[in-house]
Amino acid sequence: MTIRYLKTGKPDEDKASDNEKVVQAVADALREIEEGGDRAVRGFAEKFDNYSPASFRLSKDDIDALIAKVSPEDMADIKFANEQVTNFARIQRETMTDVEVETLPGVILGHKNIPVQSVGCYVPSGKFPMVASAHMSVATAKVAGVPRVIACTPPFKGEPNPAVVAAMHLGGADEIYVLGGIQAVGAMALGTETIAPVHLLVGPGNAYVAEAKRQLFGRVGIDLFAGPTETMVIADETVDAEICATDLLGQAEHGYNSPAALVTNSEKLANETLAEIDRILTILPTAETASVSWRDYGEIILCDTYEEMLQVSEDMAYEHVQVMTDRDDWFLENMTCYGGLFLGPRTNVSNGDKVIGTNHTLPTQKAGRYTGGLWVGKYLKTHSYQKIMTDEAATKIGEYGSRLCMLEGFVGHAEQCNVRVRRYGNKDVPYGTAAARE
């Protein structure tokens, strides 16, 4: 059994060096935003986007004017996609139920699913206007019941993108700002004179946006590490090179550092896919971006067996995994580490990105080992509660609690239990001792 790399990307050392530069740049920017507020945010918007309006927040009139620029045909498509995402989010929400149960006579335990009270949604739009990201973040938050949802998107070619703004508004955004990059994420998380901070940040972005979320985690919640995008194609000879190459380059065009990997047990398919990628890059309008990603981050991995293909996928834990084999359901049953799974040649990552209904904000950088993607449940906090309804239950639980606290040496804890045993059980428990066993 062997695993061979027919193509590799940049050495890991070079990737790490690139990442260190991003980490420092983000740390410096967030410090400036925290200290300088609106002034710093405006400075970064001017520097990176050459954009400095009177107000970054869009008024109702601004929003209406932008929506009016969207053609009826495009608006119909936007509404269709919004409906698919919203419908699936509602179905997922219905699986999350509150619980209240009497576990012992007089003892009531329960939990409630409570929406996060404010969410900041980042919708990329600098290189490509990511209309679909508005559905995935804003609309899903509203299905969860979040009362305040704000959305930030960078200017596209120097102005707000009408389709993105339309999708944000349709999803139910309460505030819309034309802000991008670190300045948007920093403003939403840290707050400024004009933007109240949020409790949770969500949404995909480039390496700088993803790093900003990482550094802000703890100050606020985040959905997950989402970006730069990654795609893996797991394929055998049931499919051809054209479909493999198309699926790899379709995601590589996201940015200059978007990993794309083919994992296969067919050397013939591997070599033909390499050639097909070269051919497509001569006609793909976004080849300037996709070719750099493929050169620096593209990989072709040749395995002997399906078990090895599974092992490679599990180790890499990529964001998008397209499976096109003679045993797609076997991979579904056995895969545990990935962002989103796309099974069979009839579907593809772009379906998930834009319209099918599952969320496209997915874990990257191996985060799929410990989390799934953004979904309605990310906007809900499950909080437990307890009630004791009878004197008998207060006494019984108190006695056990007293002894277990003293076992650990927590006398103050024990007294919380003991005072209840004395009051509700009419039992004499000496101060600072464990309740007696019956």
Side-chain angles (χ1 to χ4, degrees):
M1 295 174 67
T2 57
I3 296 173
R4 291 188 288 140
Y5 285 74
L6 301 190
K7 183 196 178 302
T8 59
K10 275 185 176 182
D12 289 342
E13 297 79 12
D14 291 352
K15 294 177 185 176
S17 177
D18 292 344
N19 188 58
E20 288 173 9
K21 295 172 186 174
V22 171
V23 170
Q24 189 57 54
V26 169
D28 293 342
L30 291 177
R31 189 179 308 110
E32 286 190 45
I33 291 168
E34 185 167 22
E35 294 172 356
D38 284 334
R39 175 185 54 78
V41 168
R42 184 168 294 276
F44 284 120
E46 292 171 347
K47 177 180 178 181
F48 294 117
D49 293 324
N50 193 28
Y51 187 71
S52 185
S55 173
F56 290 105
R57 181 174 178 177
L58 296 179
S59 68
K60 183 180 183 304
D61 288 345
D62 294 332
I63 293 168
D64 290 343
L66 286 162
I67 291 174
K69 295 180 179 180
V70 181
S71 72
E73 295 81 8
D74 286 344
M75 184 59 76
D77 288 345
I78 291 169
K79 288 181 177 179
F80 179 82
N82 176 273
E83 288 166 4
Q84 307 320 302
V85 173
T86 301
N87 179 56
F88 190 58
R90 288 197 186 104
I91 292 167
Q92 290 180 304
R93 177 64 183 91
E94 289 168 3
T95 68
M96 302 181 67
T97 57
D98 293 350
V99 171
E100 186 171 283
V101 61
E102 189 172 17
T103 56
L104 292 169
V107 176
I108 307 296
L109 304 182
H111 77 229
K112 293 179 65 178
N113 294 300
I114 301 173
V116 173
Q117 294 300 288
S118 58
V119 170
C121 302
Y122 186 75
V123 179
S125 186
K127 185 181 289 293
F128 300 104
M130 300 272 287
V131 178
S133 288
H135 312 315
M136 309 297 173
S137 57
V138 176
T140 309
K142 281 302 183 183
V143 170
V146 177
R148 177 181 176 239
V149 178
I150 75 172
C152 283
T153 188
F156 180 69
K157 297 181 179 179
E159 60 184 22
N161 182 268
V164 171
V165 172
M168 288 174 162
H169 181 70
L170 185 64
D174 299 294
E175 304 163 32
I176 298 176
Y177 297 86
V178 185
L179 271 176
I182 305 169
Q183 60 270 27
V185 175
M188 290 192 288
L190 302 171
T192 71
E193 298 90 329
T194 58
I195 302 175
V198 299
H199 295 173
L200 175 70
L201 287 172
V202 303
N206 62 20
Y208 292 90
V209 168
E211 177 60 22
K213 288 169 64 179
R214 189 190 70 80
Q215 292 188 23
L216 289 163
F217 178 57
R219 300 281 293 270
V220 294
I222 65 170
D223 49 356
L224 54 133
F225 299 129
T229 195
E230 304 162 342
T231 196
M232 173 180 288
V233 172
I234 297 176
D236 60 18
E237 288 192 358
T238 60
V239 291
D240 56 40
E242 180 189 24
I243 201 166
C244 293
T246 299
D247 286 345
L248 291 166
L249 292 178
Q251 296 299 305
E253 73 179 0
H254 262 288
Y256 297 112
N257 56 349
S258 300
L262 170 65
V263 180
T264 182
N265 56 1
S266 167
E267 189 163 2
K268 175 176 180 289
L269 179 64
N271 288 322
E272 288 177 353
T273 299
L274 273 171
E276 185 66 7
I277 285 173
D278 289 341
R279 184 191 71 81
I280 293 175
L281 285 173
T282 66
I283 58 174
L284 183 66
T286 53
E288 180 183 356
T289 303
S291 62
V292 175
S293 274
W294 179 246
R295 181 194 69 202
D296 291 346
Y297 291 86
E299 294 184 326
I300 291 187
I301 305 169
L302 183 61
C303 303
D304 285 341
T305 67
Y306 290 98
E307 288 75 16
E308 285 182 347
M309 292 160 71
L310 174 65
Q311 175 192 327
V312 169
S313 175
E314 294 285 274
D315 289 344
M316 296 175 74
Y318 262 27
E319 176 190 15
H320 306 107
V321 182
Q322 172 91 38
V323 180
M324 298 180 288
T325 68
D326 65 7
R327 60 198 71 191
D328 298 343
D329 286 341
W330 180 83
F331 280 95
L332 175 62
E333 292 167 7
N334 288 282
M335 288 181 67
T336 63
C337 300
Y338 57 90
L341 201 54
F342 305 81
L343 296 165
R346 291 180 180 84
T347 193
N348 64 85
V349 174
S350 290
N351 284 350
D353 276 352
K354 309 304 177 189
V355 68
I356 205 167
T358 53
N359 205 291
H360 79 189
T361 305
L362 300 168
T364 62
Q365 302 177 56
K366 295 194 174 184
R369 295 173 299 173
Y370 56 82
T371 185
L374 181 60
W375 71 297
V376 69
K378 288 281 188 180
Y379 300 97
L380 295 162
K381 307 171 295 167
T382 302
H383 293 274
S384 63
Y385 62 89
Q386 58 172 270
K387 296 184 284 187
I388 292 184
M389 307 302 293
T390 65
D391 292 350
E392 293 79 9
T395 303
K396 180 175 183 175
I397 294 296
E399 288 174 333
Y400 275 100
S402 169
R403 293 193 294 269
L404 290 167
C405 290
M406 291 301 294
L407 180 64
E408 295 178 355
F410 284 113
V411 178
H413 284 60
E415 277 304 306
Q416 291 180 266
C417 300
N418 288 343
V419 72
R420 270 86 182 169
V421 174
R422 297 183 194 113
R423 292 191 180 192
Y424 298 108
N426 296 313
K427 296 188 177 184
D428 183 18
V429 182
Y431 188 89
T433 64
R437 292 181 175 84
E438 295 295 335

